[in-house]
Amino acid sequence: MSSASAQPANEPDNVFRDPAFRHFWFARLCTTIGYQILTVAVGWQMYALTNDAFMLGMVGLVQFLPSIVLLLMSGHVADRFDRRIIVRTCQMVEALIAVAMAVASFSGWITSEYIFLFVALLGGTRAFETPTLQALLPSVVTPRQLPRAVALASSATQAAIIIGPALGGFAYVAGPGVVYTISAVLFSIAALMVFTLKLRQAPQRLTAPVSVKTLFAGFAYIRSNPVLLGAISLDLFAVLLGGATALLPIYAKDILHTGPWGLGLLRSSPAIGALVTALWLARNPLNRRVGRVMFGAVAIFGVATMVFGISTWLPLSMAALVVLGASDMISVVVRSTLVQLDTPDDMRGRVGAVNSVFIGASNQLGEFESGVTAALLGPVGAVLLGGFGTLCVVAAWMKLFPMLTNRDQLHDHSAHGSGKAATAR
């Protein structure tokens, strides 16, 4: 009772009224919108220059590879230095990249080679920004506020995914240089928000000298923590198998017999479901049986994938994708909160870097897996197999990771304490 009275009873409800969290939220919103509209312009411009779909695929690969190469370094840097300085430095570099792309586009000397160079630089910068920004959040709010804060931060990401592509598409009418200029302004605003960000609690920094052990500590910590290992690997395999969104163009044209407007509705449906769910979780955070809730959400994700797979009616397909996005957001919020709360502060950068790469790998490989399976079984067979595979993963993981299955509350003091002990060793 004494611990509860140490802070206001309605403190979690006030998380968005806290100026520090608002600065964090708007910084995340601006940097994500800036990135989203930039990628829209890159895709349009690359295809206009090359008229080659393979080059579009290479853009994603070139951007993803730096996160693999810089995985160990980025997490280590996030744990050793001031995370605010790292994040705003990354955002300023992203603004400079966008300015360079704008100048190159306005001047007319942009080529596919330059786009690959810029995209690789952007991928390397985001390899540092993404895990550091995630690790920064627990220093902005209290542990009690964190579940709501994670949900609200996720809502910023989903809002950006909805707003960004539309804004980028409209702005591209005026030319790619205009889009890159808007992106540079948004990255600059995000950096300003982080520059004025005040922390509620001082973060713990890594003081041990650089060694193989400290570099690989993120992998070691996840492997030694069954709850984190189960949550992260569950998301990895569920997204890897259930990547129905990669086949949306085929479904829109050949199965639902709709045009580009229908494809746009299909693409926005998961983000709408995710945004509504994130806002709901921000007001109604999960308090009990969070492990089973997470598994249930992933199972619903699998069922929704299968419903989408067999649907030949656009409204039903959109509804299935809305449910898919909503269930995925529940899993994301639970996993993200567990990663933050069960990881000591001086480990959050390295653990977050591993988690970020796993998420990126699952998305990239999931699209590849869906394409290969669709070539063999057709799009409907590929989606149905992916949904069924997700259900099988849920059943297997509930048996393999009983600590995650039986996890009751997000904030488990005993688990957090054992994590600190593991770090000390």
PDB file of all heavy atoms in Angstrom, residues 347-364:
ATOM      1  N   MET A 347      21.109  -2.792 -20.484  1.00  0.00           N
ATOM      2  CA  MET A 347      21.088  -3.840 -21.514  1.00  0.00           C
ATOM      3  C   MET A 347      20.067  -3.543 -22.605  1.00  0.00           C
ATOM      4  O   MET A 347      20.024  -4.219 -23.628  1.00  0.00           O
ATOM      5  CB  MET A 347      20.731  -5.191 -20.865  1.00  0.00           C
ATOM      6  CG  MET A 347      21.805  -5.786 -19.996  1.00  0.00           C
ATOM      7  SD  MET A 347      23.060  -6.595 -20.986  1.00  0.00           S
ATOM      8  CE  MET A 347      22.090  -7.882 -21.752  1.00  0.00           C
ATOM      9  N   ARG A 348      19.236  -2.516 -22.411  1.00  0.00           N
ATOM     10  CA  ARG A 348      18.091  -2.312 -23.306  1.00  0.00           C
ATOM     11  C   ARG A 348      18.512  -2.010 -24.736  1.00  0.00           C
ATOM     12  O   ARG A 348      17.821  -2.376 -25.676  1.00  0.00           O
ATOM     13  CB  ARG A 348      17.203  -1.197 -22.764  1.00  0.00           C
ATOM     14  CG  ARG A 348      16.331  -1.648 -21.598  1.00  0.00           C
ATOM     15  CD  ARG A 348      15.394  -0.565 -21.133  1.00  0.00           C
ATOM     16  NE  ARG A 348      14.497  -1.089 -20.093  1.00  0.00           N
ATOM     17  CZ  ARG A 348      14.278  -0.498 -18.925  1.00  0.00           C
ATOM     18  NH1 ARG A 348      14.889   0.641 -18.633  1.00  0.00           N
ATOM     19  NH2 ARG A 348      13.455  -1.030 -18.053  1.00  0.00           N
ATOM     20  N   GLY A 349      19.614  -1.323 -24.929  1.00  0.00           N
ATOM     21  CA  GLY A 349      20.059  -1.023 -26.279  1.00  0.00           C
ATOM     22  C   GLY A 349      20.435  -2.269 -27.043  1.00  0.00           C
ATOM     23  O   GLY A 349      20.022  -2.465 -28.195  1.00  0.00           O
ATOM     24  N   ARG A 350      21.214  -3.156 -26.411  1.00  0.00           N
ATOM     25  CA  ARG A 350      21.670  -4.367 -27.082  1.00  0.00           C
ATOM     26  C   ARG A 350      20.526  -5.352 -27.301  1.00  0.00           C
ATOM     27  O   ARG A 350      20.416  -5.956 -28.372  1.00  0.00           O
ATOM     28  CB  ARG A 350      22.807  -5.010 -26.281  1.00  0.00           C
ATOM     29  CG  ARG A 350      24.140  -4.249 -26.398  1.00  0.00           C
ATOM     30  CD  ARG A 350      25.141  -4.676 -25.356  1.00  0.00           C
ATOM     31  NE  ARG A 350      24.749  -4.198 -24.025  1.00  0.00           N
ATOM     32  CZ  ARG A 350      25.385  -4.505 -22.909  1.00  0.00           C
ATOM     33  NH1 ARG A 350      26.428  -5.320 -22.941  1.00  0.00           N
ATOM     34  NH2 ARG A 350      24.987  -4.009 -21.756  1.00  0.00           N
ATOM     35  N   VAL A 351      19.650  -5.495 -26.304  1.00  0.00           N
ATOM     36  CA  VAL A 351      18.493  -6.368 -26.479  1.00  0.00           C
ATOM     37  C   VAL A 351      17.552  -5.787 -27.536  1.00  0.00           C
ATOM     38  O   VAL A 351      17.028  -6.515 -28.386  1.00  0.00           O
ATOM     39  CB  VAL A 351      17.755  -6.559 -25.136  1.00  0.00           C
ATOM     40  CG1 VAL A 351      16.422  -7.274 -25.341  1.00  0.00           C
ATOM     41  CG2 VAL A 351      18.629  -7.353 -24.159  1.00  0.00           C
ATOM     42  N   GLY A 352      17.359  -4.452 -27.510  1.00  0.00           N
ATOM     43  CA  GLY A 352      16.495  -3.806 -28.487  1.00  0.00           C
ATOM     44  C   GLY A 352      17.028  -3.942 -29.900  1.00  0.00           C
ATOM     45  O   GLY A 352      16.254  -4.085 -30.854  1.00  0.00           O
ATOM     46  N   ALA A 353      18.356  -3.898 -30.059  1.00  0.00           N
ATOM     47  CA  ALA A 353      18.951  -4.048 -31.390  1.00  0.00           C
ATOM     48  C   ALA A 353      18.667  -5.435 -31.946  1.00  0.00           C
ATOM     49  O   ALA A 353      18.315  -5.588 -33.126  1.00  0.00           O
ATOM     50  CB  ALA A 353      20.452  -3.796 -31.320  1.00  0.00           C
ATOM     51  N   VAL A 354      18.808  -6.459 -31.110  1.00  0.00           N
ATOM     52  CA  VAL A 354      18.512  -7.829 -31.549  1.00  0.00           C
ATOM     53  C   VAL A 354      17.037  -7.945 -31.908  1.00  0.00           C
ATOM     54  O   VAL A 354      16.668  -8.513 -32.951  1.00  0.00           O
ATOM     55  CB  VAL A 354      18.889  -8.839 -30.446  1.00  0.00           C
ATOM     56  CG1 VAL A 354      18.481 -10.248 -30.862  1.00  0.00           C
ATOM     57  CG2 VAL A 354      20.380  -8.789 -30.153  1.00  0.00           C
ATOM     58  N   ASN A 355      16.176  -7.388 -31.061  1.00  0.00           N
ATOM     59  CA  ASN A 355      14.741  -7.447 -31.310  1.00  0.00           C
ATOM     60  C   ASN A 355      14.386  -6.743 -32.617  1.00  0.00           C
ATOM     61  O   ASN A 355      13.577  -7.252 -33.416  1.00  0.00           O
ATOM     62  CB  ASN A 355      14.002  -6.781 -30.134  1.00  0.00           C
ATOM     63  CG  ASN A 355      12.497  -6.905 -30.247  1.00  0.00           C
ATOM     64  OD1 ASN A 355      11.969  -7.914 -30.709  1.00  0.00           O
ATOM     65  ND2 ASN A 355      11.802  -5.868 -29.823  1.00  0.00           N
ATOM     66  N   SER A 356      15.002  -5.577 -32.875  1.00  0.00           N
ATOM     67  CA  SER A 356      14.711  -4.826 -34.096  1.00  0.00           C
ATOM     68  C   SER A 356      15.110  -5.605 -35.344  1.00  0.00           C
ATOM     69  O   SER A 356      14.380  -5.624 -36.339  1.00  0.00           O
ATOM     70  CB  SER A 356      15.446  -3.475 -34.072  1.00  0.00           C
ATOM     71  OG  SER A 356      14.984  -2.667 -33.016  1.00  0.00           O
ATOM     72  N   VAL A 357      16.271  -6.249 -35.289  1.00  0.00           N
ATOM     73  CA  VAL A 357      16.724  -7.031 -36.442  1.00  0.00           C
ATOM     74  C   VAL A 357      15.816  -8.231 -36.661  1.00  0.00           C
ATOM     75  O   VAL A 357      15.486  -8.581 -37.794  1.00  0.00           O
ATOM     76  CB  VAL A 357      18.188  -7.472 -36.263  1.00  0.00           C
ATOM     77  CG1 VAL A 357      18.585  -8.479 -37.328  1.00  0.00           C
ATOM     78  CG2 VAL A 357      19.105  -6.259 -36.346  1.00  0.00           C
ATOM     79  N   PHE A 358      15.378  -8.875 -35.576  1.00  0.00           N
ATOM     80  CA  PHE A 358      14.459 -10.003 -35.706  1.00  0.00           C
ATOM     81  C   PHE A 358      13.157  -9.560 -36.368  1.00  0.00           C
ATOM     82  O   PHE A 358      12.620 -10.258 -37.233  1.00  0.00           O
ATOM     83  CB  PHE A 358      14.160 -10.614 -34.334  1.00  0.00           C
ATOM     84  CG  PHE A 358      15.198 -11.613 -33.886  1.00  0.00           C
ATOM     85  CD1 PHE A 358      16.476 -11.596 -34.411  1.00  0.00           C
ATOM     86  CD2 PHE A 358      14.898 -12.553 -32.922  1.00  0.00           C
ATOM     87  CE1 PHE A 358      17.433 -12.504 -34.001  1.00  0.00           C
ATOM     88  CE2 PHE A 358      15.854 -13.482 -32.506  1.00  0.00           C
ATOM     89  CZ  PHE A 358      17.121 -13.449 -33.054  1.00  0.00           C
ATOM     90  N   ILE A 359      12.647  -8.386 -35.965  1.00  0.00           N
ATOM     91  CA  ILE A 359      11.405  -7.885 -36.556  1.00  0.00           C
ATOM     92  C   ILE A 359      11.619  -7.584 -38.042  1.00  0.00           C
ATOM     93  O   ILE A 359      10.814  -7.960 -38.894  1.00  0.00           O
ATOM     94  CB  ILE A 359      10.939  -6.612 -35.816  1.00  0.00           C
ATOM     95  CG1 ILE A 359      10.533  -6.962 -34.379  1.00  0.00           C
ATOM     96  CG2 ILE A 359       9.774  -5.959 -36.550  1.00  0.00           C
ATOM     97  CD1 ILE A 359      10.249  -5.752 -33.525  1.00  0.00           C
ATOM     98  N   GLY A 360      12.738  -6.905 -38.354  1.00  0.00           N
ATOM     99  CA  GLY A 360      13.037  -6.601 -39.746  1.00  0.00           C
ATOM    100  C   GLY A 360      13.226  -7.852 -40.575  1.00  0.00           C
ATOM    101  O   GLY A 360      12.741  -7.949 -41.710  1.00  0.00           O
ATOM    102  N   ALA A 361      13.926  -8.840 -39.995  1.00  0.00           N
ATOM    103  CA  ALA A 361      14.163 -10.086 -40.714  1.00  0.00           C
ATOM    104  C   ALA A 361      12.858 -10.828 -40.974  1.00  0.00           C
ATOM    105  O   ALA A 361      12.649 -11.386 -42.058  1.00  0.00           O
ATOM    106  CB  ALA A 361      15.126 -10.972 -39.920  1.00  0.00           C
ATOM    107  N   SER A 362      11.962 -10.825 -39.975  1.00  0.00           N
ATOM    108  CA  SER A 362      10.698 -11.534 -40.162  1.00  0.00           C
ATOM    109  C   SER A 362       9.867 -10.882 -41.259  1.00  0.00           C
ATOM    110  O   SER A 362       9.216 -11.578 -42.052  1.00  0.00           O
ATOM    111  CB  SER A 362       9.902 -11.562 -38.846  1.00  0.00           C
ATOM    112  OG  SER A 362       9.542 -10.249 -38.433  1.00  0.00           O
ATOM    113  N   ASN A 363       9.879  -9.548 -41.335  1.00  0.00           N
ATOM    114  CA  ASN A 363       9.121  -8.867 -42.385  1.00  0.00           C
ATOM    115  C   ASN A 363       9.718  -9.142 -43.765  1.00  0.00           C
ATOM    116  O   ASN A 363       9.000  -9.463 -44.721  1.00  0.00           O
ATOM    117  CB  ASN A 363       9.090  -7.354 -42.119  1.00  0.00           C
ATOM    118  CG  ASN A 363       8.208  -6.997 -40.936  1.00  0.00           C
ATOM    119  OD1 ASN A 363       7.185  -7.620 -40.711  1.00  0.00           O
ATOM    120  ND2 ASN A 363       8.608  -6.009 -40.165  1.00  0.00           N
ATOM    121  N   GLN A 364      11.050  -8.992 -43.866  1.00  0.00           N
ATOM    122  CA  GLN A 364      11.700  -9.196 -45.156  1.00  0.00           C
ATOM    123  C   GLN A 364      11.599 -10.650 -45.609  1.00  0.00           C
ATOM    124  O   GLN A 364      11.238 -10.945 -46.751  1.00  0.00           O
ATOM    125  CB  GLN A 364      13.178  -8.783 -45.061  1.00  0.00           C
ATOM    126  CG  GLN A 364      13.402  -7.317 -44.749  1.00  0.00           C
ATOM    127  CD  GLN A 364      13.068  -6.415 -45.919  1.00  0.00           C
ATOM    128  OE1 GLN A 364      13.105  -6.857 -47.063  1.00  0.00           O
ATOM    129  NE2 GLN A 364      12.757  -5.170 -45.656  1.00  0.00           N
TER     130      GLN A 364
END
